[in-house]
Amino acid sequence: MKKIFNFLWALVFYVLLFPFTILVIVFGPLMTFLDLIDVYKLEAPRLGFGLGAIAFLGFILFLSMRYPSLNWLYRKFPVLLPFFQMCFVSFIVMDLSLAFANLWADRMIIGKTVAIGLSVLSILIGRAFLSYWYYKYPISYKMVR
């Protein structure tokens, strides 16, 4: 019975949850960046994906890395693991930057110059974090392991 349950869970995970998660994690930063540009160009707020939804996608990504029955994709293509992690961190940073832009466009809490500065600063800090992370743990290390 346990094998049947594990098989059904893996089937649901790889047919429904995982492809949707990967699609959103890979293309999410690009979509959020385009929304960010639209906020400043049209001076109107745009709805982001939300940190709760991004956390749920991160949980699904964590499950796919943690359990041996689900991480066969990373064993077969080891470069996908750092790529998905990079896209996930970029997605968080871009959503945070969109939140700063919406503080200006929707609520007028901060000025436009400050919103642009905070958006650029959050993107630069996220990029610096990714650079440090992959300097400390390079992809070639994961490929050899």
Side-chain angles (χ1 to χ4, degrees):
M1 186 69 178
K2 185 176 179 180
K3 286 186 179 185
I4 293 172
F5 179 72
N6 287 342
F7 175 74
L8 289 175
W9 165 246
L11 186 68
V12 166
F13 186 82
Y14 277 112
V15 171
L16 297 176
L17 288 176
F18 193 66
F20 173 75
T21 300
I22 294 309
L23 185 70
V24 171
I25 285 177
V26 170
F27 292 110
L30 178 64
M31 293 185 304
T32 308
F33 181 72
L34 295 176
D35 286 343
L36 181 68
I37 299 250
D38 284 345
V39 166
Y40 290 121
K41 187 170 55 172
L42 302 175
E43 299 183 359
R46 298 291 295 227
L47 182 62
F49 209 73
L51 290 177
I54 294 173
F56 177 71
L57 295 176
F59 179 69
I60 293 172
L61 193 64
F62 170 76
L63 288 178
S64 73
M65 290 185 284
R66 183 74 179 144
Y67 291 103
S69 63
L70 301 174
N71 70 3
W72 64 270
L73 186 66
Y74 305 124
R75 288 190 306 264
K76 190 169 184 160
F77 304 106
V79 77
L80 287 180
L81 179 62
F83 174 70
F84 291 153
Q85 290 172 345
M86 179 184 67
C87 289
F88 180 68
V89 171
S90 298
F91 196 18
I92 291 171
V93 167
M94 293 306 296
D95 196 60
L96 182 65
S97 136
L98 182 65
F100 286 135
N102 282 336
L103 283 177
W104 162 71
D106 189 25
R107 299 183 185 100
M108 293 292 180
I109 293 175
I110 56 178
K112 185 175 185 178
T113 307
V114 175
I116 291 172
L118 288 174
S119 294
V120 170
L121 183 67
S122 67
I123 292 170
L124 290 176
I125 289 173
R127 181 64 195 134
F129 171 73
L130 284 174
S131 296
Y132 173 73
W133 189 9
Y134 286 109
Y135 168 74
K136 186 94 170 148
Y137 307 105
I139 294 175
S140 60
Y141 171 74
K142 293 180 194 292
M143 298 289 284
V144 172
R145 206 176 69 175

